[in-house]
Amino acid sequence: FLFSAVEIRCLFISIAKTSGSNAADRRGATPFNIESKMSEEDPLIIDETKDDNGHGTVTNDANGQDGAVTNGAGKKLFAPSASFVDHYSLEAPSDEIKFRSQSVRVFCNGTQQFQIIEEEDKTAVDRDLEGDTTGKTKKTTLKARVSSDGSSGLSVLRGAYTLVTVLMMGFLLIFALQVLLFLFVSLVTEGGLTSKQSLNYGHLFGSVLSIPIFVYGLASALTMATEFVVDTWQGHSFFRSVLRIPPVIIDWAAFLAFLGIPLSVMLFHMWTGDNTSTETGWWESTAMVWFGSIAIAFAIFCFVVFVVEVWGAMELLSHHPDYELLDFGLGNIGKFLKRAILLRQLHSYSAVRNRTFYLEGANTLPGVNESYDQSDVADHEFVDESVSLYSRLMVKYAEPDNGSGRQFFTEYETPKRQFNIEDVLDREVFVTDATWNLEKFYCRRSKARTVLVVNGPSKVYPRQMWSSLICAALGTVLTVLFVAAFLRWGGASIPLVIILTVLFIYFNRESARQIYSLYDSYRDTISNNATDDPNDSEAIYQVTETHRLTRPSNLTCWVLFGCELFFLFVFPLWMLYDVGNNAIAVLFLILGAFSGCRYYFNAPVVLTELGSLDLLDGDFIRTKSVAEKNEETAAIAAENDWREKNRLAKIVGHISQGSRRDAWVGVIGTFVMIFLFLFLSAFAGGSNSGAEQTTDNILKDFRYVPQNGTFHYPTCALTEDFAIPEADRSGTSSSALADYAYMASIAYTAPESMPSVLDAWFGEDVVFDNTELVEEFRSGREESAVHFKLLTFPNNPDFAVVSIRGTNNGWDMISDAQLWSASVLAQAVRALLPVGEVWDPILVNLVEMIGILQSASLRKVAFYVSTSAFVEWLRDEKKVFPSLRITGHSLGVSQSVVANQMEPLFSCSISYISLSLDQGGLAMISGAQTQTPAVGLSGPNTIITRKTLEPPVTVENLNKYTFNIIPDRDPVPMIDDPAKNVQHIACLAPANNFIDCHTSIRSLCDIQYTCGSGDRPTLCDCALYYGYPEPEAIGDRTFQEACGVKDEL
């Protein structure tokens, strides 16, 4: 610390001396009595004498060349002979530094600097001194080098910043998925699709029609979040170029948001000693403030990008050659809106044709707006032409333009070129022998303008080209084999694997065709130019050209715009408000407003019409009538024009278009399809009230005896107050863990099968299914989809068990997801982050904030509301069962079996799989809310979700009143973080069938095998289906006789 302080002091003294020295030169005095002259060997020149404008003077060199800048001492600065023009694809404008004998041009990209040094050719200078080249112009050389101004400290600091932004982006993704989920949940619960209700078609179609805006808006937000994360790691270079304010202000604002404010909060809490509470410690407060400040910075980032993108689109529209020139003003807003809408509709509803082909042996760079469709170097043998079904229909029914304006669609006499963004942004990637890379070439972007050099000094060698082709073919084959192997590993039959693999190959056949077309173009280029000059460079590059075949009339454009406005915005907004979910409706309104502006004032659409950024000259924010009066003003104008093009090119390339946006649209669209599939499956499946069960598999004359010398589960008997009362009143059973697993499993049983199922396990008349109290509770309340059973024990009237079934029909499977989907996604984000556990204190709060999307009606129909109300009703109103317990299993699986094989216990009479994702979790939620002991079997946990419940539950109550049985590799108990009381048990399911670890009967078998069956019966299923040894016989029957197993089995 002292060393750093000394360094800082010396730095300030040095700055003061330099500043004082320069000031003294101007005053004719020298402060500190220190001379300000520099060493003759120092290449930096101090401007001791300046002209009237404060600049060095310009003189001619010895050869009559002007442009050499001199200082007051008459010493010349180096005058570069090469002139550089910055392309708008650069991260930042280059800087030029002039020294006595060199000129350095610096290009920055993050912490990397690419430097071009121009200096005099030393060899030429030496010859000149000897008199060999007198009178000749001196030569200069260009030297390129790469340097870095980064450091490990900077990397650590930016890494910390980036981790917080990734956390923020992760929760933005969670928010987006929760919006879509709650949209469908609200449709289920409010649209008339729950039990015993009719379908509301208005709400149904309104919710479905709102999906496009949600997908577009949420995908755009996530694309901006991705760029925000990348920009944070790169030191806010993107934000600097987009927001035209001094970098000092941007960097200080970023420092406050990313470090200053959170660090101040942390220091305050640590200084005041706020470490007494485990719930609200100093780190929780710091992390929440840190997350909040980053979220605010991201909101500002999004708003700036939105404004610049729309503003750039308006400037391009003002220069559109098909319209008159427009100045920005309130009076012209209507004209801008008209142009934007018509151009957007023209782009969306015109019939287009795409052609992709290779140019063979081209010896010039691809032009920005040049068409190569009819070029001699185009490989017309392998032209990939695609015309969509919509375009084919439009071409078929469109008519030639008769000038009336009343036609819906007209056909172009000659197809009109529509430029693609890659061409407009003028970005090429060169593949030479030095830049070639096997993985990079294989994973290149399909739409990138890749220039493959095949002849000349930097050509790609044949071995490199063949390696690329072999890698591409091998990659395709390995992908097909991976798909087939994965399907087979997942248990798919061989015929199904073959069918799906063939379909995969069919839909990806274009990849093989592209490989061969590249090979053919390479072979033709090499053979046709074998005798050419080897120093002439020739290349192959892929060209994609789009031509518009038809266009909608202006009348058609306005009609389609009206339909879009009503059916995709007004009507869905109306239905969302009518359905009662105001939070989703307000979010839809905000997303619709911003997305509508970005959709119609769309810079990429305008650029595909113009084909270039040249019209974006910065005059839109200055004036078009004032000419540049001198060189300095022209230079400033040129820099402003470059910055306008640079920031719009970055926004278009990184956010409006590109792989990031496409990827997020794919992710959001995939989840929409999943939710829609569940919705339609539930609609087709209808409801069920449970399944009839058989007791043929229950063996009373067999038992499992724990092996000697092995540890049993410490909770095999739980505690005394959990044990099930025995029939003879002589004591209690020691197999309480197995009893609760059994009672959790039979929650799926139909009421008519309950007496035989209970008697077969507990003995006759020991346990009863008390349907009277359940019906009495339901009779005075609103219909609920959740099913539960009340098991009473006549030998102990104070003891009872509530067994929760969970869902009643397929609709409720979607409703279940509202409880735990946010916590599952939060866990995924935490797992992806390095040291993600440090964010545990704020995960609960972040999930709680996301829960505000739930309307009051959604909370009201949550299943735990009914189960908790039933427990409180028994305890407070009926005042019965002081020793009440709760149990439930999370996922019930009913399996169909092959004929002539023994049916598993609890198999259904029909072949289907019934899934319920919440029963064990509901039991533990109700237990914590009502302070009633609850035992869950494979239940999802509630630590992260606890504050989204109504009323919320505390960690203390979860630790005191809940107990969860967790099988190994069971995915459902991995949901949320567990409380303190858990029992992990084994699972013998195959590795490729880990879902089977969630089967309640498998868990019951493991408990009995490990703890011993005691005085309870055993099951045939344990040995027949789940891999456990046969139980020990205590009667005269063999296991094969008891379970009806044939000898060959």
Side-chain angles (χ1 to χ4, degrees), residues 3 20 25 54 82 129 201 205 219 240 279 369 422 426 428 503 626 676 681 717 831 867 888 924 938 985 988 1011 1047:
F3 181 73
D25 290 339
L129 292 176
Y201 288 100
F205 289 118
R240 282 185 176 191
E279 289 281 336
N369 295 328
E422 289 290 334
D426 191 20
E428 291 95 14
L503 290 176
V626 177
L676 188 60
S681 299
T867 56
M924 291 186 286
S938 297
I985 63 175
L988 302 183
C1011 298
D1047 294 338

Side-chain angles (χ1 to χ4, degrees), residues 468-741:
S468 299
L469 296 174
I470 294 173
C471 179
L474 184 62
T476 303
V477 172
L478 290 177
T479 302
V480 173
L481 293 177
F482 172 79
V483 172
F486 181 79
L487 292 172
R488 185 58 182 157
W489 179 83
S493 62
I494 293 180
L496 180 60
V497 170
I498 294 175
I499 293 174
L500 294 179
T501 303
V502 170
L503 290 176
F504 179 82
I505 295 174
Y506 175 78
F507 287 111
N508 291 273
R509 66 190 185 278
E510 192 60 34
S511 299
R513 185 177 183 275
Q514 290 179 356
I515 296 172
Y516 184 79
S517 62
L518 178 59
Y519 162 73
D520 179 76
S521 296
Y522 175 75
R523 183 187 59 186
D524 293 344
T525 303
I526 296 298
S527 60
N528 294 336
N529 301 280
T531 60
D532 291 350
D533 188 350
N535 293 321
D536 291 339
S537 295
E538 293 179 321
I540 298 174
Y541 50 87
Q542 181 176 290
V543 174
T544 300
E545 294 187 1
T546 302
H547 289 83
R548 192 179 299 135
L549 306 178
T550 67
R551 60 162 297 160
S553 64
N554 288 351
L555 176 62
T556 305
C557 290
W558 288 113
V559 171
L560 293 173
F561 169 73
C563 293
E564 291 175 353
L565 182 63
F566 178 78
F567 289 107
L568 297 180
F569 184 71
V570 176
F571 181 72
L573 181 63
W574 175 22
M575 290 296 103
L576 289 175
Y577 272 112
D578 190 58
V579 87
N581 198 339
N582 294 333
I584 297 293
V586 170
L587 179 63
F588 178 81
L589 177 62
I590 296 173
L591 284 178
F594 281 92
S595 298
C597 291
R598 295 185 67 241
Y599 181 77
Y600 290 105
F601 288 95
N602 192 285
V605 169
V606 185
L607 289 175
T608 56
E609 294 294 316
L610 301 179
S612 174
L613 280 167
D614 291 340
L615 293 178
L616 194 69
D617 56 8
D619 286 339
F620 194 60
I621 58 174
R622 303 198 305 271
T623 175
K624 302 184 182 65
S625 59
V626 177
E628 313 301 349
K629 297 182 179 180
N630 53 54
E631 183 178 352
E632 182 178 359
T633 306
I636 295 175
E639 181 179 356
N640 288 334
D641 295 344
W642 181 90
R643 293 187 181 277
E644 288 289 321
K645 296 175 183 178
N646 173 260
R647 67 177 186 171
L648 187 60
K650 285 184 176 180
I651 291 176
V652 170
H654 296 178
I655 296 176
S656 305
Q657 298 281 332
S659 57
R660 293 174 185 170
R661 177 181 173 274
D662 295 341
W664 282 121
V665 169
V667 170
I668 299 297
T670 299
F671 276 95
V672 167
M673 297 305 297
I674 291 173
F675 295 149
L676 188 60
F677 173 77
L678 293 176
F679 182 83
L680 296 177
S681 299
F683 183 79
S687 62
N688 66 83
S689 58
E692 296 184 3
Q693 311 293 355
T694 177
T695 60
D696 296 339
N697 289 18
I698 297 182
L699 306 177
K700 296 183 179 182
D701 51 349
F702 288 81
R703 66 178 180 180
Y704 277 114
V705 179
Q707 297 179 3
N708 293 329
T710 62
F711 286 104
H712 306 167
Y713 295 136
T715 59
C716 286
L718 292 176
T719 58
E720 183 178 351
D721 53 348
F722 274 86
I724 303 300
E726 294 295 325
D728 57 5
R729 300 175 181 267
S730 59
T732 57
S733 171
S734 61
S735 57
L737 195 64
D739 289 339
Y740 280 93

Side-chain angles (χ1 to χ4, degrees), residues 317-318 323-324 326 335-343:
L317 285 170
S318 71
Y323 302 99
E324 62 178 349
L326 281 180
K335 295 181 180 179
F336 277 110
L337 186 61
K338 178 180 178 180
R339 289 186 185 183
I341 294 174
L342 291 177
L343 196 58

Side-chain angles (χ1 to χ4, degrees), residues 8 73 222 240 258 314 316 460 512 730 744 780 810 878 958 977 989-990 1026:
I8 295 173
L222 287 166
R240 282 185 176 191
F258 284 85
M314 293 180 67
L316 291 173
V460 175
S730 59
K878 304 300 291 186
L958 288 170
D977 292 341
Y1026 299 123

